[in-house]
Amino acid sequence: MICKHCGAEIPEGSRFCIYCGKKLEDSLFVADDQTQIRQPVPTPSSQWADESPEAQEAPYTEISDADDELITLQKHMKIGAILMGIYVFLTAGFIVYQMMCNKSLASEVTLLRQQNIQQAADIATLKEDIKNMKDDLSDAQTQAQNAQDEAAEARQNLKKAQQAAQNANDVLDYILSW
């Protein structure tokens, strides 16, 4: 028996070529002239009912290498079409998934932007409040300093008044002691 793929001679009844490793169909064999002969094609028995037993024998179909390549090519095209369909389906699913993720991310980004704007406004308000508090503190410190200065002046006036009272007491004592 000769392998239809690589042309090497292989043992009869082999299911795989021991040289190229390709699967051999049970119903095919390759003759030395590279012509393949298929097993009988089953047909409905009613079609052959009127004919003689010799005519009921199914015909053999010869398939050349070109026909076999065409069948193989058709199988590959079907597989390619299925794979292309799977690819298109997966690609569309991925795109839809990405769109959903992007929509979700866009809403999260919008929410974060709104939060950032609110936080920026809060920070600006806090800065203004701190500035006002600093101004109030500065005013309070100035008032406290003024109050301390007035208290110091009042102490000096009190000391002067005490000194004047002491002087008046001394003069009164002097006058009374005369």
Side-chain angles (χ1 to χ4, degrees):
M1 186 166 148
I2 296 176
C3 175
K4 68 176 185 163
H5 299 288
C6 67
E9 189 170 333
I10 54 175
E12 287 295 324
S14 297
R15 297 190 73 163
F16 295 92
C17 177
I18 58 175
Y19 297 101
C20 68
K22 299 218 176 173
K23 183 176 180 181
L24 304 171
E25 295 180 24
D26 292 335
S27 62
L28 296 178
F29 72 89
V30 178
D32 290 338
D33 64 353
Q34 298 296 319
T35 304
Q36 299 174 3
I37 300 175
R38 291 211 181 264
Q39 294 293 329
V41 178
T43 57
S45 60
S46 62
Q47 178 183 354
W48 304 104
D50 299 347
E51 298 182 16
S52 65
E54 294 85 24
Q56 289 183 10
E57 219 175 273
Y60 288 96
T61 306
E62 288 188 18
I63 298 179
S64 66
D65 286 339
D67 291 335
D68 192 40
E69 287 178 17
L70 181 62
I71 291 169
T72 304
L73 180 62
Q74 288 174 344
K75 288 179 184 177
H76 288 176
M77 288 177 65
K78 286 179 184 176
I79 292 171
I82 291 169
L83 291 175
M84 182 59 77
I86 291 170
Y87 173 77
V88 168
F89 178 76
L90 291 176
T91 301
F94 180 74
I95 290 171
V96 169
Y97 173 75
Q98 288 294 323
M99 289 172 61
M100 289 172 47
C101 287
N102 288 342
K103 186 176 182 180
S104 174
L105 288 175
S107 64
E108 287 181 30
V109 167
T110 302
L111 180 63
L112 288 174
R113 283 183 181 163
Q114 290 172 349
Q115 289 175 350
N116 286 344
I117 290 169
Q118 183 61 42
Q119 288 174 351
D122 292 345
I123 289 171
T125 302
L126 290 173
K127 283 182 178 180
E128 185 66 30
D129 290 346
I130 289 171
K131 182 181 177 228
N132 291 338
M133 287 180 183
K134 283 182 180 179
D135 291 343
D136 292 345
L137 180 62
S138 177
D139 290 344
Q141 286 174 337
T142 302
Q143 290 173 357
Q145 186 63 41
N146 289 342
Q148 285 178 349
D149 291 345
E150 289 175 8
E153 188 177 326
R155 271 190 241 112
Q156 285 178 354
N157 288 339
L158 181 60
K159 281 185 183 180
K160 286 181 186 177
Q162 286 174 347
Q163 187 67 31
Q166 184 65 37
N167 288 342
N169 259 348
D170 287 344
V171 168
L172 187 59
D173 282 342
Y174 182 71
I175 293 177
L176 287 175
S177 66
W178 257 28

